[in-house]
Amino acid sequence: MWLRNQTYLADFILEGLFDDSPAHVFLFGLTMVVFLVAVSGNTLTILLICVDHGLHTPMYFLLSQLSLMDLMHVSTTIPKMATNYLSGKKSISFVGCATQHFLYLSLGGAECLLLALMSYDRYVAICHPLRYTVLMSRKVGLMMAVTSWLGASLNSLIHTVILMHFPFCGTRKIHHFYCEYPAVVKLVCGDVTLYETTVYICSIVLLLLPIILVSTSYGFILHSVIEMHLTGSKRNAFATCSSHLIVVSLWFGACIFSYMRPRSQRTPLQDKVGSVFYSIITPTLNPLIYTLRNKDVAKALRRVMRREVT
């Protein structure tokens, strides 16, 4: 019994992203620069929204939650990958792998839900501006954030417990740089067809339902914009929604590529590329997109910097 428990809880081996070739050393350095940009950008966004009273609205509260999710997302995967690469070790403990799987799945699911709910915020702001403070009160914004966090965490907890209870065999080598579901499930010894089908259905629900909500919200927004007579009003409406649409497209595009392809069409390289995009690139671009394209955030940044200088 003791020996069986020891085998069950044995470490996994993470293949990683890079080897010791000069090209890969350069790519590792580039990845770390991108990681630092992601951490700095999302941290700055969170602090800016907390400090500047002009950004204390439901919209920017939800944006701060999005930045927190992105910050936690990159911090869940990249530090472990960097530690293994620099130390020459490739192992991750059973508990560490389970924790990493739970965190990345929770944060990914929460971001899907939050982006969908943020589209409702944009719908209310453009289609019902006079009722915005009623329909999107602070209480509603808080409920949206709590729903995103709790709903995704519960879904992730169930999948992580089920997955990590399967028996693993072979060398327990994960052909990835972190414990992502598609790479871990390949190590399971038994028949997981039913479980994979369940996960596939859950992925469809968690991705397609938010996409439907986003599409519906922006359908109403587009109809309202077309009916606007003033060119300035149309320009402001498009400016308000463009940042969110870009982020939604990047995030859901990468998630669909990673999770809605049949297992027979997956390769380790494709899984790594998709994961790099939504776990590193997207969290880096999100604060840049919202900061550069959002006048309120840019003005708040200038106010805070001016205040610090004086």
Side-chain angles (χ1 to χ4, degrees), residues 23-96:
H24 279 218
V25 171
F26 170 76
L27 289 175
F28 172 75
L30 183 61
T31 300
M32 296 313 297
V33 170
V34 173
F35 169 71
L36 291 176
V37 171
V39 171
S40 302
N42 285 292
T43 302
L44 178 62
T45 302
I46 295 169
L47 293 176
L48 191 62
I49 292 172
C50 291
V51 170
D52 191 89
H53 293 287
L55 300 180
H56 289 180
T57 65
M59 171 186 170
Y60 291 109
F61 170 72
L62 295 178
L63 177 57
S64 71
Q65 296 301 298
L66 180 66
S67 293
L68 179 60
M69 292 172 186
D70 285 337
L71 178 61
M72 292 178 66
H73 206 144
V74 294
S75 300
T76 298
T77 57
I78 305 305
K80 179 59 179 176
M81 181 273 291
T83 301
N84 282 6
Y85 181 76
L86 293 173
S87 66
K89 299 178 181 178
K90 294 188 174 183
S91 63
I92 183 171
S93 67
F94 180 88
V95 174

Side-chain angles (χ1 to χ4, degrees), residues 68-243:
L68 179 60
M69 292 172 186
D70 285 337
L71 178 61
M72 292 178 66
H73 206 144
V74 294
S75 300
T76 298
T77 57
I78 305 305
K80 179 59 179 176
M81 181 273 291
T83 301
N84 282 6
Y85 181 76
L86 293 173
S87 66
K89 299 178 181 178
K90 294 188 174 183
S91 63
I92 183 171
S93 67
F94 180 88
V95 174
C97 187
T99 303
Q100 198 176 60
H101 183 274
F102 168 75
L103 288 174
Y104 100 82
L105 200 59
S106 295
L107 295 164
E111 190 152 344
C112 287
L113 296 174
L114 187 67
L115 286 171
L117 294 172
M118 287 174 74
S119 69
Y120 172 76
D121 172 82
R122 295 299 81 212
Y123 158 73
V124 174
I126 293 174
C127 299
H128 304 284
L130 299 180
R131 301 177 60 196
Y132 181 80
T133 54
V134 177
L135 296 176
M136 276 301 302
S137 62
R138 290 187 177 184
K139 183 179 179 180
V140 172
L142 181 61
M143 288 177 60
M144 286 182 171
V146 171
T147 300
S148 300
W149 284 104
L150 290 184
S153 296
L154 179 60
N155 173 71
S156 177
L157 180 63
I158 293 171
H159 285 301
T160 301
V161 170
I162 295 174
L163 177 61
M164 302 312 286
H165 267 79
F166 283 119
F168 298 98
C169 50
T171 59
R172 299 169 76 102
K173 183 177 182 179
I174 300 173
H175 295 283
H176 213 304
F177 63 97
Y178 68 95
C179 293
E180 189 177 27
Y181 161 77
V184 176
V185 77
K186 291 178 181 178
L187 303 181
V188 175
C189 297
D191 182 17
V192 290
T193 305
L194 178 61
Y195 176 63
E196 284 188 305
T197 303
T198 304
V199 172
Y200 189 73
I201 293 172
C202 289
S203 299
I204 291 175
V205 171
L206 202 58
L207 288 173
L208 290 190
L209 284 183
I211 289 174
I212 290 172
L213 179 56
V214 171
S215 302
T216 303
S217 298
Y218 278 100
F220 285 116
I221 289 172
L222 182 61
H223 181 264
S224 297
V225 170
I226 292 174
E227 291 185 341
M228 291 179 182
H229 300 292
L230 297 176
T231 305
S233 299
K234 291 184 178 181
R235 192 182 301 113
N236 290 335
F238 279 120
T240 302
C241 298
S242 59
S243 299

